[in-house]
Amino acid sequence: MNLLIHNIGLLATPLGRAARGGAAQGDILTMEGAYVLIRDGRIAAVEQGMPADHDGDSLDAGGRLCTPGLVDAHTHLVFGGWREHELALKLQGVPYLDILARGGGILSTVRATRAAGEDELADKALRQLQHMLALGVTTCECKSGYGLDTENELKQLRVTRTLQTRQPITLVSTFMGAHALPEEYKGDREGYIDLLIREMLPQVAAEGLADYCDVFCEQGVFSAEESRRILTAAQALGMGAKVHADEVEAIGGSRVAGEIGAISAEHLIAADDAGIAALKAGGVIACLLPATSLYLGKPYARARDMIAAGVPVCAATDFNPGSCPGGNMQLVMNLACWQYRLLPREVLTAVTLNAAAASGQAKETGTLEKGKRADVLLWDSDNLDYIFYRFGQNLVHTVIKDGNIVVKQ
Ligand code: NIG
Ligand code: FE
């Protein structure tokens, strides 16, 4: 199947097959009057004007802006129930970690997820993926972490695997059994860490259910040294490491991420100078989640300082039922401009190439370049600034995934 997208008003894309940090984060290619030629789901050419010959379908972009598909590099996609009952508590000032310490928060979603069957979880997550696709997401990382026992963690990961066969977004699976200490292990931290390392991780690896392992390294959840033990065990089984680091308090998560060579450290709201230096030293991508800062009423991560330090920055939703019950990458793009003070071209890299790199997909997607998957967006805009300036409504016009037109507004 061939497809020619022609009459593109402005094509804007980062370039390359690895994350870009520092000044290079803002280096993007812009091209007026471009076309994108797609063969067998892959980009065959990106040029100005019109190709000499073409056999296959044509799509007139109508002068619109064309970018790579968005990559949501951090979601907790599969879970049972919601947590609207926590809204009043939060409004009355009860902190996020206090709700968790009282057996609510993540642990309440664990109860709902354990009670749900695979089909129910899959149907619910599928609905969410459909919304995300319409908003321009073509690749999505999905973490487990609401099972917290072997059976239910594997159940969540299998749901993610099933979802790959039911919809077009490319899914990247992350095992996050170390998301909280389950209620039945209260007072027995070692017992749960032992279960994670001796039973869960080997089974996840044996079934090939996850590419990455993530740990919630946070005060009252898992310490820096516990996180290191769990993540190095995962690395020994061939998984990449990710860390929920410095979300509420800086207890050493970014240091561990740097020391073990994690692919990404995520959240980083409370990261200090030493944490930023550790990310740089370890070649770690900073995965920032501004919609979570918005929802929890927390400060925004120091994105400008990270870019100044040469750390590649990506931005994602953190879609989950507690700290970010919304999965809108376009809102993330707005917030990255307004709150992080990143320029539109820096944010474009953050939500495409750098997000693809944080998901291990930079060789395959994240830019509009020959050989990559044809994950392409047309926007209701003829320039780049406009899509960061407007907000609150879907500005994506057409979504092309693996060369197929999957959404047309
Ligand atoms: O990234 N921080 C840990 N995990 C999620 C929240 C999960 C939840 O509250 O259910 C996060 O914010
Ligand atoms: Fe998260």
Side-chain angles (χ1 to χ4, degrees):
M1 247 303 275
N2 298 346
L3 177 67
L4 170 67
I5 311 170
H6 63 96
N7 193 21
I8 293 169
L10 182 74
L11 181 140
T13 180
L15 296 174
R17 288 172 155 73
R20 298 178 74 101
Q25 169 127 17
D27 281 348
I28 60 165
L29 170 77
T30 55
M31 198 189 277
E32 289 179 9
Y35 70 84
V36 177
L37 185 61
I38 298 168
R39 287 208 188 100
D40 299 324
R42 298 264 163 184
I43 296 173
V46 178
E47 304 281 352
Q48 258 171 329
M50 278 294 268
D53 54 42
H54 164 66
D55 58 345
D57 293 342
S58 288
L59 175 66
D60 184 346
R64 289 186 174 81
L65 171 71
C66 176
T67 70
L70 305 176
V71 177
D72 192 342
H74 180 139
T75 79
H76 304 255
L77 178 74
V78 178
F79 55 83
W82 288 97
R83 301 228 291 275
E84 63 271 33
H85 56 276
E86 287 176 7
L87 179 59
L89 287 176
K90 285 177 180 157
L91 294 175
Q92 288 161 333
V94 184
Y96 176 79
L97 291 178
D98 285 12
I99 296 174
L100 176 61
R102 294 177 191 180
I106 292 172
L107 294 175
S108 105
T109 301
V110 169
R111 290 189 286 276
T113 306
R114 287 178 177 178
E118 281 192 33
D119 290 349
E120 181 185 341
L121 292 173
D123 289 348
K124 180 174 174 209
L126 179 62
R127 190 90 189 97
Q128 179 63 28
L129 286 170
Q130 287 163 346
H131 283 296
M132 291 163 63
L133 183 69
L135 288 163
V137 170
T138 50
T139 301
C140 178
E141 186 257 12
C142 315
K143 302 175 196 293
S144 70
Y146 293 116
L148 306 190
D149 62 26
T150 307
E151 179 193 338
N152 287 292
E153 283 296 316
L154 292 179
K155 176 175 80 177
Q156 264 193 283
L157 295 171
R158 287 191 193 113
V159 167
T160 302
R161 184 161 68 184
T162 304
L163 285 167
Q164 188 62 87
T165 65
R166 291 181 63 186
Q167 56 75 52
I169 297 177
T170 300
L171 303 179
V172 174
S173 178
T174 297
F175 168 65
M176 200 174 176
H179 196 194
L181 192 68
E183 277 165 319
E184 62 274 19
Y185 277 88
K186 217 169 174 180
D188 183 15
R189 311 183 58 72
E190 267 311 305
Y192 187 60
I193 293 169
D194 209 57
L195 183 76
L196 278 165
I197 292 176
R198 287 177 198 267
E199 188 176 296
M200 290 196 213
L201 276 170
Q203 288 200 31
V204 171
E207 285 193 43
L209 282 168
D211 297 318
Y212 295 99
C213 177
D214 194 343
V215 175
F216 191 11
C217 180
E218 185 57 66
Q219 197 70 54
V221 193
F222 292 96
S223 72
E225 285 323 302
E226 289 165 348
S227 302
R228 182 199 303 273
R229 274 171 62 202
I230 297 161
L231 291 169
T232 51
Q235 286 174 319
L237 291 166
M239 286 179 228
K242 290 173 165 282
V243 192
H244 270 61
D246 310 340
E247 177 175 355
V248 185
E249 296 191 39
I251 63 159
S254 37
R255 175 173 48 81
V256 170
E259 285 170 4
I260 66 170
I263 190 159
S264 59
E266 323 210 334
H267 284 285
L268 299 171
I269 291 175
D272 54 17
D273 290 347
I276 295 173
L279 300 180
K280 171 66 181 155
V284 183
I285 299 167
C287 183
L288 306 183
L289 309 163
T292 304
S293 290
L294 176 77
Y295 199 76
L296 294 180
K298 294 274 180 197
Y300 288 81
R302 295 166 54 193
R304 281 252 66 94
D305 292 340
M306 293 174 192
I307 290 185
V311 175
V313 167
C314 101
T317 62
D318 194 23
F319 173 70
N320 74 74
S323 63
C324 190
N328 187 331
M329 278 296 285
Q330 292 180 43
L331 176 63
V332 167
M333 291 162 66
N334 292 128
L335 291 171
C337 272
W338 307 337
Q339 300 294 337
Y340 292 152
R341 299 296 195 204
L342 301 192
L343 298 169
R345 58 180 194 270
E346 293 172 321
V347 181
L348 184 67
T349 302
V351 296
T352 57
L353 178 60
N354 284 1
S359 312
Q361 299 288 308
K363 293 190 170 63
E364 291 289 315
T365 192
T367 67
L368 300 177
E369 285 177 280
K370 191 173 174 183
K372 289 214 183 181
R373 290 201 298 256
D375 300 346
V376 186
L377 303 181
L378 296 177
W379 297 80
D380 272 321
S381 171
D382 60 5
N383 68 85
L384 187 62
D385 288 346
Y386 182 85
I387 63 171
F388 296 89
Y389 147 82
R390 294 282 310 278
F391 83 105
Q393 61 196 65
N394 187 3
L395 299 173
V396 163
H397 181 274
T398 304
V399 182
I400 293 140
K401 174 61 189 152
D402 294 318
N404 300 310
I405 300 171
V406 289
V407 176
K408 202 161 180 202
Q409 313 284 4

